[in-house]
Amino acid sequence: MSQELQELRNKIDDADKRLVSLIAERLSLVARVGRVKSRDGVPVYDPAREASMLAKRRAEAEDAGISPDVIEDVLRRIMRESYNSESREDFKCVNPKAGRVVVVGGFGQLGRLFVKLFKASHYEAEALSRRNWDRAEELLHDAGLVIISVPINSTPEVIGQVSKMMPENAVLADITSVKTGPLETMLRCHCGPVVGLHPLFGPDVQNFAKQLIVCCGGRMPEKYSWVIEQMKIWGANIYNVEAAVHDRAMSVIQGLRHFTTFAYGVNLMSERYDVARLVNLSSPVYRLEIMMVGRLFAQDPALYAEIIMSSKQNLEVIRRYADAVQKCLKLIEKGDEQKFIELFLETREYFGEYAQKFMEESRRLLAVSSDSGRRGEEGGAK
Amino acid sequence: MSQELQELRNKIDDADKRLVSLIAERLSLVARVGRVKSRDGVPVYDPAREASMLAKRRAEAEDAGISPDVIEDVLRRIMRESYNSESREDFKCVNPKAGRVVVVGGFGQLGRLFVKLFKASHYEAEALSRRNWDRAEELLHDAGLVIISVPINSTPEVIGQVSKMMPENAVLADITSVKTGPLETMLRCHCGPVVGLHPLFGPDVQNFAKQLIVCCGGRMPEKYSWVIEQMKIWGANIYNVEAAVHDRAMSVIQGLRHFTTFAYGVNLMSERYDVARLVNLSSPVYRLEIMMVGRLFAQDPALYAEIIMSSKQNLEVIRRYADAVQKCLKLIEKGDEQKFIELFLETREYFGEYAQKFMEESRRLLAVSSDSGRRGEEGGAK
């Protein structure tokens, strides 16, 4: 290697070392902001500040002659790290007189997160489950908020048991992924404030910053509003929607989605396609596809069986999807290009502005996906 | 807002400004490396240097008490920018005596890229198409390399025409996405060196850095090896595979993939599900799913009709997928949880170590996908 190249590489290494210190400095500044915010009860996530800050940096990047997208992507990545670590701080308590918070099923992953965050916000929070059921009476009799976080099949039964032991004016909430049934059961069993919640994130999430929580109102919103406010302090986005609308959307988002992924994986397996070869020959788009299929099978089969088979509505949605596959297959068998293009354009119209928007967004994501350069490692180069 | 918070924010703004300069500095250093590399004929992409550099930065990050993943992700993002801009440089010419490079169909997006890169590497490179076909004889009669870059349906005819006009010892290559047919046609029509290539990337790629190019050998590799070496100088990863193996994989990677995406989109459209609501209620995984479906419909319907219906093999692959969907549907209709779990575990075994690997990789990608915080903008917060 030429000396010139070596000297340039030394300079790059030096710049990168300064980059490491600068990121460390920024993270520590943001951690201090987090502590001040928690103390003052300011929500962790501040979209307006974020947007104005990014706009300024983008302008500065253009002045420096570099792409604004680089600086935005880099800052978003560093900010994510900040959001992740901000959960370690303590949070303002919105309702210090709320009384005890009991998370039924609070030893599961999601339940534990709720217990942790309520504790970090200076509530008395306790997990209750089969393993400490002997304390149920003691924990529930003067509770201020009871959150049901048990598998969907046990939810009605647990609501029935718990509601008998808790005070009439306490808030009863559930966090199952279906909302109509649990909400009806809660309203029937408990005559006080009731709210259905659905946290739309996976079990490996460490805090609520920027996470979406669906809220289906039940009864006496003025009495459970502090729970919503508290989750906003944690950084959550709250999305209010009717239970039935939520459930229909979930049949697509969860039931159908998991079914198609399952069927696609089963088909690959039955055909014994060589996974390594598919990966090596993947375009970035297909690499993402096979990754999203394969990841399903690293997870709990019983959980997915439960989600897919949880309702009649799911079955209907899946059946109609299977019909659409048959219809599209017939079209391909006939080689009917004209009809294909018609259906394509009709679907484009249905997606409206989202088609183009998704195109742009996916371009960005596919670029990130290629950044990892795994292709090189996996033997693309021969 | 408290004065303390304001002061901290000023410090963050100051750190970010230094970040912008530092990134600009690094990009300019890497651009200089690019110029030195091009001059000396060193390949643009150097996986070993990249890996050792990242390992050092990760260690330094840990010493500074920050997550190694942050610095790696940030550096990969900045490096991507470098790769993108490095295409502007000029490249070493591997075979100065090669003679003229003619790209037939060289006014299309991919063809243009080849013409640009050969010119940047000091070859005489020309695009040929219907619009300047009157120059065909003149350009082809003493060409050193002819690359066919026309739609798949016209490929055999164009190969037939072009091969009659080019010298016997010139290299004939094609870059269509199917390999068996074009390779057979080239070998039949041209008795000199022949190679089939398939660049596995979309039309918006600006240069070859880290991109995958499939290579299916035809005849006289010693005479076309300079073409492969030249593409490596541009940064490409070359993957050697037999044409038939490539084509079977492509029936899955392109034919089946585009079919399932098409059918899924058509199903959403027929059911008139509210796209905005699906987006607002999406988990990160589903957001990615609907994005990858919607993006298809922003593209050219005729192109997708052509890809899906391009071969009998595709139809067979799609038919067997549709059968798998029916089989899985029956299982769900029966509520046969036991059989579901069996198939699930069998598929997990089929994916082998990839299931877990995909899980980890997708986690990283889903985090990036959430970084954008679009959820907030689109009305998640109410």
Side-chain angles (χ1 to χ4, degrees):
Chain A
M1 187 173 47
S2 73
Q3 206 194 324
E4 195 178 354
L5 191 54
Q6 189 54 59
E7 273 168 21
L8 285 168
R9 283 187 167 174
N10 291 344
K11 281 185 188 169
I12 291 173
D13 283 346
D14 171 65
D16 286 353
K17 278 180 200 161
R18 280 181 283 143
L19 185 64
V20 173
S21 325
L22 193 50
I23 292 175
E25 181 187 336
R26 191 189 203 279
L27 287 171
S28 111
L29 284 168
V30 174
R32 284 171 63 192
V33 168
R35 283 192 289 272
V36 172
K37 278 187 176 179
S38 310
R39 191 196 62 203
D40 300 351
V42 182
V44 167
Y45 176 44
D46 182 346
R49 150 85 182 158
E50 189 176 296
S52 90
M53 187 270 287
L54 286 172
K56 271 188 247 163
R57 295 298 94 80
R58 289 182 68 93
E60 286 159 15
E62 288 199 85
D63 290 343
I66 63 173
S67 142
D69 288 346
V70 187
I71 187 71
E72 174 162 350
D73 289 349
V74 165
L75 281 172
R76 285 195 188 282
R77 178 62 187 88
I78 301 173
M79 286 190 292
R80 187 212 310 166
E81 204 61 21
S82 298
Y83 285 124
N84 286 350
S85 62
E86 255 181 315
S87 76
R88 291 174 218 140
E89 312 302 328
D90 64 337
F91 295 96
K92 186 192 167 184
C93 180
V94 171
N95 186 3
K97 293 178 184 164
R100 187 182 304 109
V101 176
V102 181
V103 181
V104 186
F107 296 104
Q109 273 181 302
L110 193 53
R112 270 207 306 269
L113 181 59
F114 271 92
V115 171
K116 184 181 95 176
L117 286 169
F118 274 109
K119 279 186 175 166
S121 313
H122 313 284
Y123 294 87
E124 184 197 341
E126 297 268 3
L128 178 64
S129 80
R130 238 172 262 147
R131 72 169 95 156
N132 64 343
W133 194 252
D134 52 316
R135 293 186 62 205
E137 196 89 49
E138 170 205 343
L139 293 176
L140 291 168
H141 86 278
D142 59 350
L145 165 65
V146 178
I147 299 178
I148 311 294
S149 172
V150 298
I152 192 152
N153 296 333
S154 340
T155 302
E157 191 196 336
V158 171
I159 291 172
Q161 295 172 333
V162 161
S163 58
K164 283 182 205 127
M165 293 188 256
M166 61 188 277
E168 262 187 31
N169 58 351
V171 179
L172 181 57
D174 82 304
I175 53 171
T176 39
S177 59
V178 176
K179 294 270 63 76
T180 313
L183 202 57
E184 278 171 10
T185 313
M186 289 194 295
L187 287 169
R188 202 178 54 240
C189 297
H190 180 63
C191 57
V194 162
V195 61
L197 302 171
H198 181 195
L200 275 163
F201 47 82
D204 48 325
V205 160
Q206 294 305 304
N207 67 72
F208 278 34
K210 288 177 141 187
Q211 298 292 352
L212 185 63
I213 296 183
V214 171
C215 174
C216 302
R219 185 193 292 131
M220 304 183 197
E222 70 288 357
K223 292 206 173 157
Y224 66 70
S225 62
W226 67 271
V227 181
I228 308 296
E229 287 312 308
Q230 189 63 56
M231 293 192 298
K232 284 186 188 167
I233 296 275
W234 298 338
N237 276 330
I238 306 295
Y239 185 77
N240 292 296
V241 70
E242 278 167 56
V245 172
H246 166 274
D247 287 358
R248 177 167 146 91
M250 281 306 133
S251 283
V252 180
I253 290 171
Q254 297 194 325
L256 179 58
R257 148 79 199 175
H258 297 321
F259 173 82
T260 58
T261 308
F262 174 73
Y264 193 98
V266 166
N267 174 239
L268 290 182
M269 179 272 291
S270 318
E271 298 287 322
R272 293 281 144 200
Y273 296 116
D274 183 333
V275 182
R277 184 169 297 136
L278 290 180
V279 169
N280 280 332
L281 285 172
S282 287
S283 59
V285 168
Y286 191 75
R287 198 189 152 81
L288 189 64
E289 167 98 347
I290 196 169
M291 179 176 92
M292 296 310 288
V293 172
R295 83 191 288 280
L296 181 88
F297 297 93
Q299 299 173 71
D300 178 10
L303 176 68
Y304 284 98
E306 188 191 300
I307 294 176
I308 295 174
M309 305 190 200
S310 68
S311 74
K312 281 226 163 209
Q313 194 167 25
N314 281 7
L315 181 58
E316 281 312 311
V317 163
I318 290 167
R319 199 177 274 141
R320 289 196 303 269
Y321 166 76
D323 290 348
V325 168
Q326 289 298 323
K327 188 175 121 188
C328 292
L329 172 63
K330 290 214 170 64
L331 199 149
I332 305 293
E333 280 173 338
K334 280 192 220 150
D336 191 344
E337 200 170 325
Q338 200 45 51
K339 181 74 187 155
F340 180 96
I341 291 175
E342 261 171 45
L343 267 174
F344 193 103
L345 294 176
E346 210 181 325
T347 308
R348 175 187 290 173
E349 203 176 317
Y350 157 76
F351 273 104
E353 59 177 12
Y354 280 102
Q356 196 52 46
K357 211 166 150 183
F358 287 154
M359 189 70 204
E360 283 153 27
E361 203 177 321
S362 64
R363 201 169 276 160
R364 187 175 147 263
L365 205 63
L366 290 167
V368 173
S369 161
S370 310
D371 281 352
S372 69
R374 280 202 179 69
R375 193 163 273 156
E377 292 158 33
E378 275 170 15
K382 287 210 169 163
Chain B
M1 187 175 47
S2 74
Q3 206 193 326
E4 195 178 356
L5 192 53
Q6 190 53 58
E7 274 168 22
L8 285 168
R9 283 185 167 179
N10 291 344
K11 281 185 188 170
I12 291 173
D13 284 345
D14 173 63
D16 287 352
K17 278 179 201 163
R18 280 181 285 142
L19 185 64
V20 173
S21 325
L22 193 50
I23 292 175
E25 180 186 335
R26 191 189 204 279
L27 287 171
S28 111
L29 284 168
V30 174
R32 284 171 61 191
V33 168
R35 282 192 290 272
V36 172
K37 279 188 175 178
S38 311
R39 194 195 60 203
D40 300 352
V42 182
V44 168
Y45 177 43
D46 182 347
R49 150 84 181 159
E50 189 176 296
S52 89
M53 187 270 288
L54 285 172
K56 272 187 245 161
R57 295 298 95 78
R58 289 182 67 94
E60 286 159 15
E62 287 198 87
D63 291 344
I66 64 173
S67 143
D69 288 346
V70 187
I71 186 73
E72 174 163 349
D73 289 349
V74 166
L75 280 172
R76 284 194 187 283
R77 179 62 187 87
I78 302 173
M79 285 189 291
R80 187 211 310 165
E81 204 63 19
S82 298
Y83 286 123
N84 286 349
S85 62
E86 255 181 315
S87 76
R88 290 175 220 141
E89 311 303 326
D90 64 337
F91 295 97
K92 187 193 166 184
C93 180
V94 172
N95 185 4
K97 293 178 186 162
R100 188 182 302 110
V101 176
V102 181
V103 181
V104 186
F107 296 104
Q109 272 181 302
L110 195 53
R112 270 207 306 268
L113 182 58
F114 271 92
V115 171
K116 184 181 95 177
L117 286 169
F118 274 108
K119 279 187 175 165
S121 313
H122 313 285
Y123 295 88
E124 184 198 340
E126 297 270 1
L128 177 64
S129 80
R130 237 172 265 150
R131 73 168 93 155
N132 64 343
W133 195 251
D134 53 317
R135 294 188 62 204
E137 195 89 49
E138 172 205 340
L139 293 176
L140 290 168
H141 86 279
D142 59 350
L145 166 64
V146 177
I147 300 178
I148 311 293
S149 173
V150 298
I152 191 151
N153 295 333
S154 341
T155 301
E157 191 196 336
V158 171
I159 291 173
Q161 294 172 333
V162 161
S163 58
K164 283 181 208 131
M165 293 188 256
M166 61 189 277
E168 262 188 28
N169 58 350
V171 180
L172 181 59
D174 83 303
I175 52 171
T176 39
S177 59
V178 175
K179 295 270 61 74
T180 313
L183 202 56
E184 278 170 10
T185 312
M186 288 194 296
L187 286 169
R188 202 178 55 239
C189 297
H190 180 62
C191 57
V194 163
V195 61
L197 302 171
H198 181 195
L200 276 163
F201 47 82
D204 47 326
V205 160
Q206 294 305 304
N207 67 71
F208 278 35
K210 287 177 143 187
Q211 298 293 350
L212 185 63
I213 297 185
V214 172
C215 175
C216 302
R219 185 195 292 135
M220 305 184 197
E222 71 287 356
K223 292 207 173 156
Y224 65 70
S225 62
W226 67 272
V227 181
I228 309 296
E229 287 314 306
Q230 190 63 57
M231 294 192 297
K232 284 187 189 165
I233 296 275
W234 298 338
N237 276 330
I238 306 295
Y239 185 75
N240 293 297
V241 70
E242 277 167 56
V245 172
H246 166 275
D247 286 359
R248 177 166 147 92
M250 282 305 134
S251 283
V252 180
I253 291 172
Q254 298 194 324
L256 179 58
R257 148 78 200 178
H258 296 322
F259 174 82
T260 58
T261 308
F262 174 73
Y264 193 98
V266 167
N267 174 241
L268 289 182
M269 179 272 292
S270 318
E271 298 289 321
R272 294 281 143 201
Y273 296 116
D274 183 334
V275 182
R277 184 170 297 136
L278 291 180
V279 168
N280 281 331
L281 284 172
S282 288
S283 59
V285 169
Y286 191 75
R287 198 188 151 81
L288 189 63
E289 167 98 347
I290 196 170
M291 179 176 91
M292 296 310 288
V293 173
R295 82 190 288 280
L296 181 86
F297 297 92
Q299 299 173 72
D300 177 11
L303 176 70
Y304 285 98
E306 187 192 300
I307 294 176
I308 295 173
M309 304 189 200
S310 69
S311 74
K312 280 226 161 206
Q313 194 167 26
N314 280 8
L315 180 59
E316 280 313 310
V317 163
I318 291 168
R319 199 177 273 141
R320 291 197 301 269
Y321 167 77
D323 290 348
V325 168
Q326 289 298 324
K327 187 175 123 190
C328 293
L329 171 63
K330 291 217 169 62
L331 200 151
I332 306 294
E333 279 172 339
K334 280 192 219 149
D336 191 343
E337 201 170 324
Q338 200 45 50
K339 181 75 187 152
F340 180 96
I341 291 175
E342 260 170 46
L343 267 176
F344 193 103
L345 294 176
E346 210 181 323
T347 307
R348 175 187 289 174
E349 204 175 315
Y350 157 76
F351 274 103
E353 58 176 14
Y354 280 103
Q356 196 53 46
K357 210 165 151 184
F358 287 154
M359 190 70 203
E360 283 151 27
E361 203 178 322
S362 64
R363 202 169 272 159
R364 185 175 150 265
L365 205 63
L366 290 167
V368 173
S369 161
S370 310
D371 281 352
S372 71
R374 282 202 176 69
R375 193 163 271 157
E377 292 158 32
E378 275 171 16
K382 288 210 168 161

